[in-house]
Amino acid sequence: MIELLLVIPVITAALCYLMNRRRAMEIVSTIGAAVLFVGVLLFVAKVLEDGPIYEGALFMDSLSAYVLLIVAFMAFIGAVYSVGYMGHEYQEKQFGLGRLRYYYTFFHIFIFTMMLVCVSNSLGIMWIAIESTTLASAFLVGFYNKDTSLEAAWKYIIICSVGITLALLGIILAYASSVSVVGESSNALDWTTLRSIADSLDKDLLRIAFVLVLVGYGTKVGLVPMHTWLPDAHSQAPTPISALLSGVLLNCAMYGILRFHIISTEALGPGFSGSLLLLFGVISMVVAAAFIIIARDVKRLLAYSSIEHMGIIAIGFGLGGPFGVYGALLHMLNHAMAKSLLFFGAGNVLLKLKTKIMEEVRGLGQHMAATAALLFIGMLALAGSPPFGLFISELSILYAAVTQGQVVVGALYLLVLVVIFAALLWHIGGMVFGTPSERVQPGEVSRLNIWVMIVLATALLVLGLVIPGPLASLLDAAASLFGGMT
Amino acid sequence: MINGLAALVLLGAFAAVSCSRMPALVRTFAFQSIALGALAACVAYFTDSPQIYVVAVLTIGLKGFVIPRMFSQIMNRIKVEKEVDPLLSIPSSLLVSGGLAVLAYYITEPLITHGEPITRNALALSLAVVLIGFFIMISRRKAITQVVGLLIMENGLFMAAISLTYGMPLIVELGIFFDVLVAVLIMGVFAFRINNTFDSLDTSFMRRLRD
């Protein structure tokens, strides 16, 4: 049955490819994404009720269901925003109908590859899916065909392919250690098999395997120092794609690491993989903070902020324990929504003022009031201020650090969060307030874009006040997969 | 026999480092892939596993013939100058590669002790190939040489997979082959576009994006 879910984006992509009118493409793409979202909701409900679903190479447990939910939700939001954003650029004749068709087709192929990451049981197939996400999205990063977007796309595809090649070596080593226990069976590479025999796996091989996978998939997560492709790709891609890269793709790569983290925790105890995640998380946060302070381009600012938030998530999983894992899981969803909200706001500004340089944007509050307000709300949410969802998840991770006696990590974490809060307030505040440098016609570019952003802002607010029952039980179930939950 | 072929694959990597012209580099890569395919065929023969034969045929067919053909077509179409333009001179590159090979032996020493006897050396050799492939990627500036470096890394990985575990499950192997082929195709498309935009395949022109 999981195949049915996977088929939806493929069909949508094929239909988009066959359409030759703009409206038709937009309708097909939006309906496809909506159907996908509903389908994922049904499957998530089934997983919550009956436990994991196993179907050969595919499977879905609570963790995959949760990440899949993020993918499908953000895909739907991104598809709706694309209608307003890409539609506007198309009307301005920035590209022709053929390019628009190409955009929607690759958009849904990209969604398909990310869903495949979440539902593959075999770690080998998961690797193939993660590599395919790079291949599918490279075309979207290079969409505008300018010299800068080509540079970004080339760096993206080369750096991520090298990283992921290292991850493949890790998977081969894990397979070698599994084969020596269960013999040459076709499911020796399945995550469920590896987990059930974790105790008897070769410890040395598994250690090297985890390091290789962490470095390899960590390249795609954007952990420092393997992050160099990320700001380029995020700033050059069309805005809806930037939001998807930040909000979903990074989470999918993190999901790949988590699967190995769980196995390695079972086999080697929580110390080894946890402390590596912690180390990379702290480095990523600190380095990202420095670049956030000096950023000039708003999309690069947001890209570095993604590196920071992936660092926070890595710290949460690295610390482990109920608060760390729960906080990190919740943060994956919160960050996806807050970052998309800000990218969409920056996208509206880009459509109207044709600039990404923050110094050139002043006094948005006067001529794009709705975008300005939502951008500011998004900034507050992203910086982790109450009453938004990110406050809860960041607090939960901080609590985990303090209760586990990781005082240095806790202090550093708090310090970086404060610095980034100030930097974001300065950068985004500067865009929203002040006086416009020249006379700009007041008004928004697209009403649809504003509605999408309102939905995201509301969801962030709701998650900050109360976590709905089904989501809470899904989070609990997903967190219980991680070891050391006492 | 297997050790000999594995050594031949490593030799291919060294030869690739020493190439100063792109057609030679692509031919060396093809040669290395054929050696790898022969290695896979040997392992298949000794362990009597038909699925590794499939891998062997695919390696020789795809990496030995199809992909090199694609490269030479791309190079003919864009008529780019054929020099490799190493950032590091070829003799010192060879020296570095030698160092990497020693390093690979050093790293894998604790692991080799409990490997299968017939393929004990192959892990160290394949790690050396991976490292040298990586070195080619970072020390050569042309877009196509970077792709060849990536493919050489991938060859090293396949050698590790075949020698360490006698091959991954077939579906995974097929998927990886498919991914590699698509990746090379896409990189080829981008190489075209880079050549159109920058009038060169030299990736060091790409310095626009920075903070």
Side-chain angles (χ1 to χ4, degrees), chain A residues 329-369:
Chain A
L329 283 173
L330 187 58
H331 201 76
M332 286 165 91
L333 175 61
N334 279 331
H335 167 248
M337 295 198 299
K339 187 52 58 64
S340 301
L341 177 55
L342 276 177
F343 264 122
F344 293 169
N348 287 354
V349 175
L350 180 60
L351 281 186
K352 176 135 186 220
L353 302 177
K354 304 276 174 279
T355 180
K356 290 184 285 185
I357 307 297
M358 287 180 284
E359 287 162 10
E360 295 170 7
V361 181
R362 286 289 175 262
L364 278 183
Q366 294 180 23
H367 53 88
M368 294 176 86

